[in-house]
C-alpha cells in the first residue's frame, strides 16, 4: 500500500528510466539557451561506520570531472539516469537531484540571478519565488532560490534550487518537498551540499566522518 502522503509528483519520480521527474520538473532551459546536460555515471559506496550505521557516499564521474557527496540518512539513491542523480526520501515526501547543466568553464559572474530566476519560473509553471540568496558548495558560491507551487495533484510543494559554478560547468542542486516537510528536507539538502567535493583543485579528497568527539 502507498503512503497516505504519496502524490502524483512522487509517482512520476518512481516510474521507469527516463521519467524520474514529472513534466513540470523535466523542463530544461528555454529553447533559446538549452545546452545538453553532461553525462554522469555514479556508484554508491558504504564507507566509515558512525554509531551502528555506515556512511553512504556517492561517487560521480563526468568525463574527467569527479564529484562525491554523502547521501543523507533516510534517502535512497538512484543513479540510473545519465543526465541527473536523484535521491528519494523513504517516505516519498521529498527528493533531491543533482546535474551539470552547462558544459564548459564558468565564472561566478556569468551566473546571472535574473536569468536563472526566469529559467525556474519557466520550468515550474505557477511558482512563486519566495527568497533569493547565495549558497555554497565545494568552496564555490552561486545563486539560490526558494520557490513554492502546487503539484499536479494540487499538493503544496516547496523547492530550493542552487546553482554553483565549476570547471565542469554549472552544478545544479534541487530539493523539492511537500511544503510541510520542507524544513526536514533542507537539513538533508544541507548535508549533501556540505559534504559535496570535486577534483577541481586536483585529486578528489574525501574527509571521513568520525564518531569520536
Amino acid at each position: 500500500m502507498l503512503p497516505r502522503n504519496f502524490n502524483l509528483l512522487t509517482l512520476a519520480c518512481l516510474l521507469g528510466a527516463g521519467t524520474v521527474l514529472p513534466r513540470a520538473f523535466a523542463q530544461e532551459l528555454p529553447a533559446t539557451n538549452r545546452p545538453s546536460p553532461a553525462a554522469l555515471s555514479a556508484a554508491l559506496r558504504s564507507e566509515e561506520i558512525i554509531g551502528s550505521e555506515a556512511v553512504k557516499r556517492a561517487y560521480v564521474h563526468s568525463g574527467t570531472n569527479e564529484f562525491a557527496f554523502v547521501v543523507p540518512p533516510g534517502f535512497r539513491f538512484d543513479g540510473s539516469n545519465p543526465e541527473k542523480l536523484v535521491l528519494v526520501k523513504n517516505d516519498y515526501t521529498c527528493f533531491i537531484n543533482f546535474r551539470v547543466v552547462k558544459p564548459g568553464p564558468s565564472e561566478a559572474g556569468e551566473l546571472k540571478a535574473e536569468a536563472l530566476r526566469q529559467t525556474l519560473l519557466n520550468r515550474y509553471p505557477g511558482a512563486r519565488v519566495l527568497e533569493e540568496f547565495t549558497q555554497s558548495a565545494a568552496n564555490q558560491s552561486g545563486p539560490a532560490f526558494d520557490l513554492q507551487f502546487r503539484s499536479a495533484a494540487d499538493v503544496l510543494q516547496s523547492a530550493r534550487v542552487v546553482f554553483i559554478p565549476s570547471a565542469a560547468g554549472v552544478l545544479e542542486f534541487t530539493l523539492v518537498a511537500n511544503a510541510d516537510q520542507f524544513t526536514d528536507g533542507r537539513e538533508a539538502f544541507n548535508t549533501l551540499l556540505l559534504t559535496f567535493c570535486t577534483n577541481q583543485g586536483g585529486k578528489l579528497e574525501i574527509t571521513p566522518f568520525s564518531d569520536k568527539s
Side-chain angles (χ1 to χ4, degrees):
M1 179 176 293
L2 297 178
R4 290 178 56 193
N5 52 9
F6 193 89
N7 57 51
L8 292 183
L9 171 66
T10 52
L11 176 61
C13 190
L14 295 175
L15 290 176
T19 58
V20 173
L21 301 180
R23 185 165 68 179
F25 301 99
Q27 295 176 16
E28 307 297 341
L29 299 176
T32 55
N33 184 22
R34 188 184 291 167
S36 298
L40 305 175
S41 61
L44 186 65
R45 302 178 191 171
S46 294
E47 300 191 320
E48 64 269 26
I49 304 295
I50 301 299
S52 61
E53 299 291 333
V55 173
K56 296 186 183 300
R57 194 173 275 111
Y59 289 84
V60 186
H61 289 82
S62 177
T64 60
N65 301 292
E66 298 177 69
F67 314 101
F69 57 86
V70 169
V71 175
F75 280 76
R76 290 178 290 173
F77 176 80
D78 181 359
S80 62
N81 189 329
E83 293 187 351
K84 61 177 73 70
L85 307 178
V86 180
L87 285 70
V88 184
K89 194 175 180 182
N90 289 338
D91 64 3
Y92 310 115
T93 56
C94 72
F95 71 82
I96 299 167
N97 73 47
F98 164 72
R99 62 179 186 164
V100 182
V101 296
K102 187 177 181 180
S106 301
E107 297 295 333
E110 294 180 359
L111 297 184
K112 303 296 185 183
E114 296 82 0
L116 294 171
R117 183 191 316 116
Q118 189 57 52
T119 292
L120 294 176
L121 292 176
N122 290 340
R123 186 184 303 170
Y124 306 130
R128 292 188 302 119
V129 176
L130 301 180
E131 186 176 0
E132 299 182 24
F133 51 99
T134 299
Q135 188 85 40
S136 299
N139 298 316
Q140 298 289 335
S141 298
F145 302 84
D146 280 353
L147 306 95
Q148 199 166 79
F149 53 91
R150 289 195 171 274
S151 71
D154 200 33
V155 175
L156 188 63
Q157 303 282 334
S158 295
R160 173 166 291 182
V161 187
V162 178
F163 300 91
I164 301 292
S166 80
V170 177
L171 312 180
E172 182 182 305
F173 303 85
T174 302
L175 162 71
V176 176
N178 290 349
D180 61 353
Q181 297 291 319
F182 189 56
T183 298
D184 289 343
R186 284 199 315 253
E187 293 182 6
F189 193 59
N190 288 339
T191 294
L192 189 156
L193 293 176
L194 288 170
T195 61
F196 190 88
C197 55
T198 80
N199 68 338
Q200 183 166 320
K203 183 180 178 181
L204 183 67
E205 298 286 351
I206 303 297
T207 302
F209 288 109
S210 173
D211 58 359
K212 297 179 180 179
S213 56

